[in-house]
Amino acid sequence: MEVRMDGLNPSGEDVREAIFKSAVELFARRGYYATTIRDIVDRAGVTQPMVYYYFGSKEELFVSCVKELFYRISCEYKKVPMEQPIEKYLWEFITVGNDIYAKSPESILLMINYIHYPEEYPRFSDIKELVAKPMEVLKNAIEYARQNGEVRQEINPISASMTVLGALTLARTLHYIHNFIMDIDLDVDTEFVSNQIQKIVTRGILSN
Amino acid sequence: MEVRMDGLNPSGEDVREAIFKSAVELFARRGYYATTIRDIVDRAGVTQPMVYYYFGSKEELFVSCVKELFYRISCEYKKVPMEQPIEKYLWEFITVGNDIYAKSPESILLMINYIHYPEEYPRFSDIKELVAKPMEVLKNAIEYARQNGEVRQEINPISASMTVLGALTLARTLHYIHNFIMDIDLDVDTEFVSNQIQKIVTRGILSN
Amino acid sequence: MEVRMDGLNPSGEDVREAIFKSAVELFARRGYYATTIRDIVDRAGVTQPMVYYYFGSKEELFVSCVKELFYRISCEYKKVPMEQPIEKYLWEFITVGNDIYAKSPESILLMINYIHYPEEYPRFSDIKELVAKPMEVLKNAIEYARQNGEVRQEINPISASMTVLGALTLARTLHYIHNFIMDIDLDVDTEFVSNQIQKIVTRGILSN
Amino acid sequence: MEVRMDGLNPSGEDVREAIFKSAVELFARRGYYATTIRDIVDRAGVTQPMVYYYFGSKEELFVSCVKELFYRISCEYKKVPMEQPIEKYLWEFITVGNDIYAKSPESILLMINYIHYPEEYPRFSDIKELVAKPMEVLKNAIEYARQNGEVRQEINPISASMTVLGALTLARTLHYIHNFIMDIDLDVDTEFVSNQIQKIVTRGILSN
DNA sequence: TATGAATGAGCTTTCATTCAT
DNA sequence: AATGAATGAAAGCTCATTCAT
């Protein structure tokens, strides 16, 4: 499997890419079991055996998607510099997630779902560390601020980061449901809610 | 013709109950599509047609489960009295959820999953209001405290309740994954984390 | 199984009668395999096991219906007196069938279907002679008229009776389809068509 | 890559054809509901999913069969030239049907059954016109002869054609039952009976 | 007589996957 | 690198029938 340096895809890689994209969207919206290979290839405009040629099986295709997305977002999160007030850090961290969600809600959704679905998705040990990465990045930043005395001692960094990510997760999910699936009672403006979450948590953890 | 005190039919309702219980557990852990009627009846120790006799179809069985669980937890949440400091209210609210989770994690999981799974589960318009209920109960309490001046004016009650519920949701899910599915990196002590969440949010929203 | 002399039915026989009636209607319209025991008992307002109590099985219920109907119509046909011009006889014979069809199209339909459906219905050797009876009655009348010189020698009575019954059968079926099932192109006035059939066949077989 | 002269796909269309043939035979003999997909594929020597690959569903397979057969026979009937004495026309018309019946009784049976079975078969509006076609062809010929004065004015062409087709239908059905299903009392020689029917009807409708 | 509850067998249909080309 | 055709296994569901009362 030849490694390519450029961003362009020859006809061959186009097929692979089309499958990948279509798979992410469908796995995200419908889940692993409710998504069929036919759905994926129809949307991608390719034939069924191509999935097996490029990815080996449905499961491997799924793993590829999840890994790739978790890897990408971890990278983005890591770019946020820790050497700044935790208040600002938090906001930038949240913004990174919001931007990705805005660009392709499915990417975020797939990750959310994967976490919130104990057994629905196939679980693979080599995904473990990837799944925990984003939360770890945030935890490290809060820990760092706590060592600086910026954050109260009694605050447990992992719980704090869980609070932030859990809140965002729910907000984005409800937003998605409201906008794309059904008119549930809660209309969520992600921008505004994100801001509120940041305010609440910041004040909740700051020292003075 | 044995007479029973509980109002249930001698054997009839037992079968129904067994199916229900087994369905909640499996739907919660595996999701709707990955759970088969055969799985459910095998675990319940009954035969397939019984599902159709008592519930009509897989979908109706699922709806029954979700409705019932959302209804039950809403009732519990509503019992928490609003006429007390928001700090205490929050703690009691969180405790109610934790207790249910402790008793039957699957019940909570199913509700969590149902919310976090845009299209995986079948969606039914008559579930809408039930799904939104728990969050509404919490929102009303925060709104009430805000009108009392206990909570800062700039705090938006819906966002605050989303923060609480989202955080708890993620905490419980990670706990479940860690304990029941796979040894993911984050070992979560729900008691402790709940306490932290309550602390952070309380401080984050209180007036002074 | 007590034999009853009167036409009244006690509550017991009511159930049996209700099942029978409902069965005839449904078997006639939907056929044997497309009619379920549930359909029958629902329409009859009784419970499923009653069918087995009174008739033993679905098949036996069906046999009862077919036998009974063929027997009844044979009796009616036999009442038409042979000692009259074949032209008049034919008309009376046709009229008997039309009257029954008018009163309960399903009775006639069931017989028609049973004949025209080689394997759809279960076949039972003891039904054989009953099925052939109506045609035999007509055949005998024509044979009688032929011996009298009223009908041409070259006419084969069985073929002639087949012509009459086949024509009537098709007419009634198309009438039924048109009126009860779907607006097929051929609107059939049974009275008028019967008259035509009688005219054509009479002239077709008469001597001079 | 073997090239075939008949335009059919090497193996592909063979499978399709085998399913079609087997379906016609079984639907004709047993009816729609008593025929299972398993029966069809077993007889055809193919696997179950092939039915869905080529026809989409049991119902669509059935529709294909009925449509195709009605279409074929209509075409044959239309080939009989109207510009000849109605006596000869009738004979040729009858012969066309007899030939097809001789070659594959099931084809004719399926059409007969479809007409004589009000609700047993699924009914589709787009089959309506096809079903009425053969009778229309015959009706037109008789109408034509009537305008020429060959047929009496008081004869209604539609009733006359109903007489012919109904008679033939019954004759063929009884023949089929006698020969293929059970030894019913009426042994029918289709050739002879057809001849009789033609004689009776011809004389029945002719002018002088 | 009558019933609510229960069942084994079998139905149509779909799925992930592979083969021959 | 790509495809049309094919398949074994299993899904959701229904049916005629029976059991316990």
Side-chain angles (χ1 to χ4, degrees):
Chain A
M1 187 73 71
E2 140 207 33
V3 178
R4 298 169 36 84
M5 293 295 110
D6 58 349
L8 298 175
N9 285 318
S11 80
E13 287 300 304
D14 277 353
V15 171
R16 196 194 140 95
E17 194 53 31
I19 293 172
F20 185 88
K21 198 159 161 280
S22 151
V24 168
E25 289 167 4
L26 290 172
F27 282 143
R29 299 177 70 115
R30 304 190 190 164
Y32 180 78
Y33 291 103
T35 301
T36 72
I37 296 285
R38 268 203 73 139
D39 292 339
I40 294 171
V41 299
D42 283 357
R43 171 181 272 248
V46 304
T47 59
Q48 296 208 46
M50 285 299 95
V51 168
Y52 298 87
Y53 185 80
Y54 283 108
F55 295 92
S57 73
K58 188 187 180 186
E59 215 168 88
E60 289 175 76
L61 168 59
F62 176 72
V63 172
S64 296
C65 295
V66 176
K67 273 189 184 170
E68 172 77 13
L69 295 181
F70 270 102
Y71 178 71
R72 278 191 212 163
I73 203 163
S74 294
C75 290
E76 292 302 313
Y77 279 144
K78 275 190 211 150
K79 283 189 198 157
V80 180
M82 270 167 53
E83 299 82 8
Q84 54 178 326
I86 190 68
E87 181 164 10
K88 278 200 66 186
Y89 178 91
L90 262 185
W91 185 242
E92 285 193 29
F93 185 94
I94 290 171
T95 302
V96 163
N98 280 352
D99 286 352
I100 295 178
Y101 176 73
K103 250 183 283 174
S104 93
E106 281 81 8
S107 304
I108 294 282
L109 261 202
L110 183 52
M111 292 184 289
I112 291 177
N113 294 342
Y114 187 72
I115 289 173
H116 280 87
Y117 236 94
E119 290 185 8
E120 159 68 359
Y121 287 133
R123 301 250 152 205
F124 309 93
S125 50
D126 54 344
I127 297 190
K128 268 201 306 188
E129 52 217 37
L130 272 173
V131 168
K133 261 285 155 14
M135 184 165 301
E136 210 187 316
V137 173
L138 181 52
K139 185 203 74 177
N140 288 340
I142 296 176
E143 208 155 37
Y144 177 78
R146 183 159 161 270
Q147 280 158 4
N148 288 351
E150 205 186 350
V151 163
R152 284 185 289 147
Q153 284 307 312
E154 61 174 336
I155 293 301
N156 168 251
I158 193 78
S159 302
S161 60
M162 225 178 269
T163 306
V164 174
L165 284 173
L168 289 169
T169 291
L170 183 53
R172 285 177 196 141
T173 305
L174 292 177
H175 176 263
Y176 187 84
I177 292 177
H178 179 78
N179 285 26
F180 298 102
I181 310 293
M182 80 194 308
D183 189 21
I184 209 162
D185 219 8
L186 302 151
D187 186 357
V188 179
D189 172 351
T190 42
E191 191 85 17
F192 174 75
V193 175
S194 300
N195 195 274
Q196 286 272 322
I197 293 172
Q198 188 253 11
K199 261 193 197 130
I200 293 172
V201 175
T202 305
R203 183 160 181 162
I205 65 177
L206 279 190
S207 279
N208 58 336
Chain B
M1 180 77 76
E2 146 207 25
V3 178
R4 293 169 41 123
M5 291 298 109
D6 53 12
L8 297 176
N9 278 359
S11 62
E13 287 301 308
D14 284 352
V15 171
R16 197 194 138 95
E17 198 51 40
I19 293 171
F20 186 89
K21 198 160 159 281
S22 150
V24 168
E25 288 166 6
L26 290 171
F27 282 144
R29 299 176 69 114
R30 304 190 191 165
Y32 181 79
Y33 291 104
T35 301
T36 74
I37 295 285
R38 283 181 164 85
D39 292 340
I40 294 171
V41 299
D42 283 356
R43 170 179 273 247
V46 304
T47 58
Q48 291 207 53
M50 284 300 96
V51 169
Y52 300 90
Y53 186 78
Y54 284 108
F55 295 93
S57 71
K58 186 187 179 185
E59 210 168 275
E60 287 176 78
L61 169 57
F62 176 73
V63 172
S64 294
C65 295
V66 175
K67 272 190 182 169
E68 174 75 13
L69 295 181
F70 270 102
Y71 177 73
R72 279 191 211 163
I73 203 163
S74 294
C75 290
E76 292 303 314
Y77 280 145
K78 275 192 211 145
K79 284 188 197 154
V80 180
M82 270 167 52
E83 299 80 11
Q84 56 179 325
I86 190 68
E87 182 165 8
K88 278 201 66 186
Y89 178 90
L90 262 184
W91 185 242
E92 285 194 28
F93 185 94
I94 289 171
T95 301
V96 163
N98 279 353
D99 286 352
I100 295 178
Y101 176 73
K103 248 183 285 175
S104 92
E106 279 83 8
S107 303
I108 294 283
L109 259 206
L110 183 52
M111 291 185 289
I112 291 177
N113 294 341
Y114 187 72
I115 289 174
H116 280 87
Y117 236 93
E119 291 185 7
E120 160 69 0
Y121 286 133
R123 302 250 151 206
F124 308 94
S125 51
D126 55 343
I127 296 190
K128 268 202 307 189
E129 52 216 38
L130 273 172
V131 167
K133 261 284 154 19
M135 185 165 300
E136 209 187 315
V137 174
L138 181 52
K139 186 203 73 177
N140 287 340
I142 296 177
E143 209 155 35
Y144 178 76
R146 185 159 160 271
Q147 279 159 4
N148 290 350
E150 204 185 348
V151 163
R152 284 184 288 149
Q153 285 307 312
E154 62 175 335
I155 292 301
N156 168 250
I158 194 78
S159 302
S161 60
M162 224 178 269
T163 306
V164 175
L165 284 172
L168 289 168
T169 291
L170 183 53
R172 286 176 196 141
T173 304
L174 292 177
H175 175 263
Y176 187 85
I177 294 178
H178 180 76
N179 284 26
F180 298 101
I181 310 293
M182 80 193 308
D183 188 22
I184 208 162
D185 217 8
L186 302 150
D187 185 358
V188 179
D189 171 352
T190 44
E191 191 86 18
F192 173 74
V193 174
S194 300
N195 194 273
Q196 286 273 320
I197 293 171
Q198 188 252 10
K199 258 190 199 133
I200 293 172
V201 175
T202 306
R203 183 160 182 164
I205 65 176
L206 280 189
S207 278
N208 60 335
Chain C
M1 185 74 70
E2 142 206 33
V3 177
R4 300 170 33 87
M5 293 294 109
D6 58 350
L8 297 175
N9 285 319
S11 80
E13 287 301 304
D14 276 353
V15 171
R16 195 195 139 93
E17 196 50 33
I19 293 171
F20 186 87
K21 197 160 161 281
S22 151
V24 169
E25 288 166 5
L26 290 171
F27 282 143
R29 300 176 68 113
R30 305 189 190 164
Y32 180 78
Y33 291 104
T35 301
T36 72
I37 296 284
R38 269 202 72 140
D39 291 340
I40 295 171
V41 299
D42 283 358
R43 171 180 272 247
V46 304
T47 58
Q48 296 207 46
M50 285 300 96
V51 169
Y52 297 87
Y53 185 80
Y54 283 109
F55 294 92
S57 71
K58 187 187 180 185
E59 213 168 270
E60 289 176 77
L61 168 57
F62 177 72
V63 172
S64 296
C65 295
V66 175
K67 273 190 183 168
E68 173 77 12
L69 295 181
F70 271 102
Y71 177 72
R72 278 191 211 163
I73 203 162
S74 294
C75 292
E76 292 302 313
Y77 279 144
K78 276 190 211 147
K79 284 187 198 157
V80 180
M82 269 167 52
E83 299 80 10
Q84 57 177 327
I86 190 67
E87 183 165 7
K88 278 200 66 186
Y89 178 91
L90 262 185
W91 185 241
E92 286 194 29
F93 185 94
I94 290 171
T95 302
V96 163
N98 280 352
D99 287 352
I100 295 177
Y101 175 74
K103 248 182 286 174
S104 93
E106 280 82 9
S107 304
I108 295 281
L109 260 203
L110 183 52
M111 291 184 290
I112 291 178
N113 294 342
Y114 187 71
I115 289 174
H116 280 88
Y117 238 94
E119 290 186 6
E120 160 67 359
Y121 287 134
R123 302 251 150 205
F124 309 94
S125 51
D126 54 345
I127 298 191
K128 270 201 307 188
E129 51 217 37
L130 273 172
V131 167
K133 261 285 155 15
M135 185 166 300
E136 210 186 315
V137 174
L138 180 53
K139 186 202 73 177
N140 288 340
I142 296 177
E143 209 154 34
Y144 178 77
R146 183 158 160 273
Q147 281 157 3
N148 289 350
E150 204 186 350
V151 163
R152 284 184 289 148
Q153 285 307 313
E154 61 175 336
I155 292 300
N156 168 251
I158 193 76
S159 303
S161 60
M162 224 178 269
T163 306
V164 175
L165 284 172
L168 289 169
T169 290
L170 183 53
R172 286 177 196 140
T173 304
L174 291 177
H175 176 262
Y176 186 85
I177 293 177
H178 180 77
N179 284 25
F180 299 101
I181 311 292
M182 81 193 307
D183 189 22
I184 209 161
D185 218 8
L186 303 151
D187 186 358
V188 179
D189 172 352
T190 43
E191 191 85 18
F192 173 75
V193 174
S194 300
N195 194 273
Q196 286 272 322
I197 293 171
Q198 187 253 9
K199 258 190 199 132
I200 293 171
V201 175
T202 307
R203 181 159 183 165
I205 65 177
L206 280 190
S207 278
N208 58 337
Chain D
M1 180 76 78
E2 147 206 26
V3 178
R4 292 169 43 121
M5 292 297 109
D6 52 13
L8 299 176
N9 279 359
S11 61
E13 288 300 309
D14 284 353
V15 171
R16 196 195 140 95
E17 198 51 39
I19 293 171
F20 185 88
K21 198 160 159 279
S22 151
V24 168
E25 289 167 6
L26 290 171
F27 282 143
R29 299 175 70 114
R30 305 190 190 164
Y32 181 79
Y33 292 104
T35 301
T36 72
I37 296 285
R38 263 199 130 78
D39 293 339
I40 295 172
V41 300
D42 283 357
R43 170 180 274 248
V46 303
T47 58
Q48 293 208 51
M50 284 299 96
V51 169
Y52 299 88
Y53 186 78
Y54 284 108
F55 294 93
S57 72
K58 186 186 180 186
E59 209 167 277
E60 288 176 78
L61 169 59
F62 176 72
V63 172
S64 294
C65 294
V66 175
K67 273 189 183 170
E68 174 76 13
L69 295 181
F70 270 102
Y71 177 71
R72 279 191 210 164
I73 203 164
S74 294
C75 290
E76 292 302 313
Y77 279 145
K78 275 190 212 148
K79 283 188 198 156
V80 181
M82 270 167 51
E83 300 81 9
Q84 55 178 325
I86 190 68
E87 182 164 9
K88 279 201 64 186
Y89 178 91
L90 262 184
W91 186 242
E92 285 194 28
F93 185 94
I94 290 170
T95 302
V96 163
N98 280 353
D99 287 351
I100 295 177
Y101 175 73
K103 250 183 285 175
S104 93
E106 281 83 6
S107 303
I108 294 283
L109 261 203
L110 183 52
M111 292 184 288
I112 292 178
N113 294 343
Y114 187 72
I115 289 174
H116 280 87
Y117 236 93
E119 289 186 8
E120 159 69 358
Y121 287 133
R123 301 250 152 206
F124 308 93
S125 51
D126 55 344
I127 297 191
K128 268 202 308 189
E129 51 216 38
L130 273 173
V131 167
K133 260 284 152 21
M135 184 166 301
E136 209 188 315
V137 173
L138 180 52
K139 186 203 71 177
N140 288 340
I142 296 177
E143 208 156 37
Y144 178 77
R146 184 161 161 270
Q147 280 158 3
N148 289 351
E150 207 187 347
V151 163
R152 285 184 289 148
Q153 284 308 311
E154 61 174 337
I155 293 301
N156 168 252
I158 194 78
S159 303
S161 61
M162 225 178 269
T163 307
V164 175
L165 284 172
L168 289 169
T169 291
L170 183 53
R172 287 178 194 140
T173 305
L174 292 176
H175 175 263
Y176 187 84
I177 293 177
H178 179 76
N179 285 26
F180 297 102
I181 311 293
M182 79 191 312
D183 188 22
I184 208 162
D185 217 9
L186 302 151
D187 184 358
V188 180
D189 172 351
T190 44
E191 191 85 18
F192 174 73
V193 174
S194 301
N195 195 273
Q196 285 273 320
I197 293 171
Q198 188 253 9
K199 261 191 197 130
I200 294 171
V201 175
T202 306
R203 182 159 181 163
I205 64 176
L206 280 190
S207 280
N208 58 336

